[in-house]
Every structure is written in C-alpha cells, then in structure tokens.
Amino acid sequence: MQALNQELRSLISKQIPNVEIVGDASNCDPRNIAIVISGVIGEELLRNLDRRGIKVDAGSACGAGALSPSHVLEAMGFGADGQIRLTLKLDHDKKGVGMLAQALAEEVAKLRG
C-alpha cells in the first residue's frame, strides 16, 4: 500500500498543475491521500469522476458522505475548494493507480477550462 500511495502521489503531482497533496506518504495511513486542487470545486469533480465509474470522497475526512470542506484541512491552511480524498484498497494495483491519476487529470483540466 505504501508503494501505491507514493506512486499515486507522484503521478498526481506530475499530471495536475496547482495541486497540493496533504501530508507525507512516509508518515500517514497509506490507504488515504487527501489532495486540494485549486480552481476546482471538489463536489463537481467528484460527480464527474463518479460518471466515469471512479469513486472518491470530497470534503470532510470524518465521513465519506460529507461534501462540505474539511475543517481540518482548512485549519491547516488549505483552501476550501477542490478537496478530494482518495482511498486505496488492497485490490488496487499500479495500473489502476495510473488510470486514476489520468482520469483525475483529465477531469480537472475540463473543469478548469
């Protein structure tokens, strides 16, 4: 999981301009990655990814159904827009992580226009 987490962080950083990845991969739960993408509304991005069959969470890390911005991320100085939480599962692999990063980059580009 740690290797997949690091791979996904690397791909997102390379493929999406103006993205902030919260935390350090070596010092966090390897299943979760919180990202903040400027210029994008997290809920809108979530819905676009959902149409592609990709399930991600937006907003508060306290619950998957929450769409409001995370008060924790805001307290850490991150913006309220573009908050997405990605959760890796045991059955994910490097190919799937690459496809996720690509789809995420495509949808962000569409939303930013």
Side-chain angles (χ1 to χ4, degrees):
M1 287 298 245
Q2 188 73 28
L4 283 179
N5 184 300
Q6 290 176 332
E7 176 73 10
L8 185 53
R9 286 170 181 264
S10 175
L11 291 170
I12 289 171
S13 293
K14 289 175 186 171
Q15 295 180 27
I16 304 173
N18 300 316
V19 65
E20 295 181 88
I21 301 176
V22 180
D24 180 353
S26 65
N27 190 25
C28 68
D29 182 342
R31 296 172 296 174
N32 300 308
I33 302 172
I35 61 174
V36 181
I37 306 167
S38 65
V40 172
I41 297 172
E43 184 177 349
E44 201 172 347
L45 179 56
L46 178 139
R47 293 183 198 288
N48 290 355
L49 289 169
D50 188 58
R51 284 188 206 99
R52 292 176 75 151
I54 300 169
K55 308 295 183 205
V56 300
D57 298 320
S60 174
C62 299
L67 294 177
S68 59
S70 167
H71 65 281
V72 173
L73 292 180
E74 287 188 70
M76 293 172 65
F78 293 98
D81 291 336
Q83 295 183 2
I84 297 291
R85 189 177 72 248
L86 307 172
T87 304
L88 296 171
K89 310 271 191 222
L90 289 175
D91 59 344
H92 287 136
D93 58 18
K94 191 171 181 174
K95 180 180 177 184
V97 164
M99 290 170 44
L100 170 59
Q102 180 64 37
L104 190 57
E106 290 169 2
E107 293 303 327
V108 167
K110 286 181 196 174
L111 290 172
R112 285 181 173 164

